[in-house]
Amino acid sequence: MNRCALALLIGVASAAHAQDAVQSVLAAAPQLVRFAGSPENFYSLVTGLTEGTPARLAAPGAGGFSRVTTITVAAPLSAADAAGRLELARQNLELIGIVQPTPEQISAALVGGVLDTPSGRTQMAGVLPQTARAAVRSQLEPDQRTPTPDELAFARLPVEIRSLLAGLPPREALLKVELAQQHLIAVGGAYTDPERLRAMLQIVLAPQSGAYSVSSASAGATSFPAMSPLVAPYLPAR
């Protein structure tokens, strides 16, 4: 058998094995398709974990580009193990309020890392075994589609603000920012300070957390019951 034919057979066998793994994980945990962000991300993630090839996770980024995170495990997992660990990562993120994670958040749940959440910064231990711990790389790649004005505005927000709002549609995320800015104006705060804005966004996103205080230049620390200044939370209007 010549080398070309052998390479073709190896490629077909590898593709068949990858497809079997994807079907097995899909049957065991169909919710992981939404968790991955898209069917393409799901396929790449499962194939990467079970084949040891780079798993490419893409999401809209700054205008004209996509944010791409590539995860490459050191040792492949079985389909059953991959399904179990992906589901554990999904549950761990859900416990801290992240239902629709970004590629970066999925990476942190799998490999480990620090995440900004509505309740504060959280250290994720990672669910992958030490023998399969992955190399992670994030980059921007050209996006073929034209981003919406809301996506462009969201991409211009500070990275810590975007991290807090990850998973929300851009329109809704921008309205949350606007609401937080209104609350800061009500207490005399400088809402252009990303740290103040991040603290107020945590209140906007988790209003049940109780009273809060914000320092202002004119009046010092001012305390309010949860969500009292100016306006109540509202849903995005189309």
Side-chain angles (χ1 to χ4, degrees):
M1 184 180 296
N2 63 42
R3 290 185 179 180
C4 246
L6 180 58
L8 180 60
L9 284 176
I10 292 173
V12 170
S14 178
H17 181 269
Q19 189 63 37
D20 287 345
V22 170
Q23 291 297 332
S24 296
V25 174
L26 183 61
Q31 66 275 14
L32 292 176
V33 177
R34 183 172 184 271
F35 167 74
S38 70
E40 294 79 10
N41 282 358
F42 171 76
Y43 184 91
S44 183
L45 190 54
V46 173
T47 301
L49 291 180
T50 57
E51 296 284 312
T53 56
R56 183 180 182 278
L57 305 179
F65 289 87
S66 291
R67 299 190 329 275
V68 178
T69 296
T70 303
I71 305 171
T72 308
V73 294
L77 306 176
S78 68
D81 198 12
R85 292 182 187 277
L86 285 172
E87 174 59 15
L88 181 57
R90 186 191 71 80
Q91 292 176 5
N92 287 346
L93 287 174
E94 194 173 73
L95 284 174
I96 58 174
I98 300 174
V99 178
Q100 189 60 65
T102 64
E104 296 88 349
Q105 290 169 335
I106 292 174
S107 169
L110 290 173
V111 182
V114 178
L115 295 178
D116 283 318
T117 72
S119 58
R121 293 190 172 176
T122 303
Q123 175 69 49
M124 306 295 292
V127 300
L128 291 177
Q130 290 296 329
T131 54
R133 279 304 164 98
V136 178
R137 182 167 59 94
S138 295
Q139 63 186 20
L140 291 176
E141 292 185 2
D143 192 349
Q144 298 304 313
R145 69 180 184 84
T146 302
T148 66
D150 286 340
E151 289 173 342
L152 290 173
F154 181 80
R156 288 193 291 267
L157 293 173
V159 63
E160 63 269 23
I161 301 301
R162 295 201 308 268
S163 179
L164 270 181
L165 297 167
L168 292 179
R171 171 69 174 165
E172 185 176 348
L174 292 173
L175 288 173
K176 297 291 187 185
V177 172
E178 182 182 346
L179 180 57
Q181 290 173 339
Q182 290 175 355
H183 280 269
L184 283 172
I185 291 173
V187 299
Y191 63 81
T192 52
D193 180 354
E195 202 54 42
R196 287 172 178 263
L197 183 57
R198 188 175 75 85
M200 185 59 77
L201 265 175
Q202 291 176 329
I203 299 298
V204 170
L205 294 169
Q208 71 276 14
S209 58
Y212 62 94
S213 64
V214 175
S215 297
S216 69
S218 60
T222 305
S223 295
F224 287 88
M227 303 305 294
S228 64
L230 283 185
V231 292
Y234 54 87
L235 294 176
R238 289 287 183 185

